[in-house]
């Protein structure tokens, strides 16, 4: 566990909040977040956008409270200016870490292939083979019965298949 900081500035009509989020090696600043209207779920979404950790794998703690009620606003929780928030992995993350990290690596491979495709001409047959290899790697990831991992894998399969102009995605398949 590497503690770093993430400063979140929140703007209200008469004051600006700075919330400090520490943990997991990330440093980021989020601006124009209104504590009166921003929910915990929205805060987790902003953290995901910045660091890539899905909300289901986030554990946020502020002032000794676990921020697990996603419907409450930051103001309803009682967060004040300069409140310190700890960002940690949830219990679910520890159970699904291996699969999640494998999917993250494959997501990067798909992004790299997508970037390569945008800058150079890749023959249709070669692209189909590269996409097939990626799909086989994705299929080999053990989801351990987790709906989260299955859904992530399914989304990555669709993302990979979208790179191959010759593939036809079958929406009826489960994973």
């Amino acid at each position: 566990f590497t503690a770093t900081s993430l400063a979140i500035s929140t703007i209200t009509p008469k004051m600006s909040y700075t919330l400090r989020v520490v943990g997991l090696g990330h440093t980021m600043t989020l601006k124009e977040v209104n504590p009166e209207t921003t929910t915990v779920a929205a805060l987790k979404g902003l953290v995901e956008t910045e660091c890539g950790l899905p909300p289901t794998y986030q554990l946020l703690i502020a002032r000794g409270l676990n921020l697990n009620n996603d419907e409450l606003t930051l103001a309803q929780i009682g967060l004040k200016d300069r409140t310190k928030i700890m960002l940690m992995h949830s219990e679910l993350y520890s159970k699904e870490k291996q699969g999640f990290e494998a999917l993250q690596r494959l997501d990067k491979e798909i992004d790299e292939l997508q970037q390569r495709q945008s800058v150079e001409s890749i023959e249709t047959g070669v692209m189909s083979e590269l996409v097939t290899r990626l799909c086989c790697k994705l299929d080999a990831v053990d989801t351990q019965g987790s709906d989260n991992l299955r859904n992530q894998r399914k989304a990555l399969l669709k993302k990979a298949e979208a790179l191959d102009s010759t593939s036809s995605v079958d929406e009826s398949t489960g994973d």
Side-chain angles (χ1 to χ4, degrees):
F1 172 66
T2 306
T4 59
S5 11
L6 140 74
I8 303 172
S9 299
T10 58
I11 309 300
T12 58
K14 293 186 179 182
M15 75 174 65
S16 173
Y17 279 10
T18 299
L19 305 177
R20 191 166 279 313
V21 180
V22 296
L24 304 181
H26 299 285
T27 303
M28 60 193 100
T29 302
L30 307 174
K31 296 181 180 181
E32 297 182 24
V33 179
N34 185 330
E36 298 295 327
T37 59
T38 303
T39 62
V40 171
L43 175 63
K44 289 179 179 180
L46 293 170
V47 171
E48 177 184 22
T49 299
E50 293 295 321
C51 72
L53 185 64
T56 55
Y57 298 137
Q58 295 176 26
L59 174 61
L60 298 178
I61 299 173
R63 301 175 67 188
L65 299 171
N66 183 343
L67 306 184
N68 57 2
N69 187 339
D70 289 344
E71 290 85 39
L72 292 178
T73 66
L74 302 182
Q76 288 172 322
I77 294 168
L79 296 186
K80 305 287 184 207
D81 190 26
R82 299 178 189 232
T83 298
K84 183 176 182 178
I85 300 174
M86 297 293 298
L87 170 62
M88 301 168 55
H89 287 127
S90 69
E91 195 174 311
L92 181 62
Y93 178 83
S94 62
K95 293 177 185 173
E96 299 181 356
K97 178 181 178 181
Q98 187 176 10
F100 174 72
E101 290 179 353
L103 291 172
Q104 290 297 100
R105 286 189 298 274
L106 290 170
D107 188 23
K108 287 180 184 172
E109 281 189 49
I110 294 167
D111 288 344
E112 289 167 1
L113 181 57
Q114 188 173 29
Q115 184 174 2
R116 181 178 159 201
Q117 183 184 41
S118 70
V119 296
E120 66 181 81
S121 177
I122 301 173
E123 291 181 35
T124 303
V126 173
M127 181 55 85
S128 292
E129 178 64 25
L130 293 171
V131 169
T132 300
R133 288 180 185 183
L134 278 170
C135 289
C136 289
K137 288 179 184 181
L138 285 164
D139 198 39
V141 174
D142 183 8
T143 61
Q144 304 166 359
S146 163
D147 288 338
N148 288 323
L149 294 176
R150 268 194 224 108
N151 290 334
Q152 289 174 34
R153 183 175 68 184
K154 186 175 183 176
L156 290 176
L157 281 165
K158 288 181 181 183
K159 182 178 176 180
E161 289 173 341
L163 295 175
D164 184 6
S165 61
T166 65
S167 77
S168 58
V169 178
D170 182 5
E171 295 294 328
S172 65
T173 59
D175 10 345

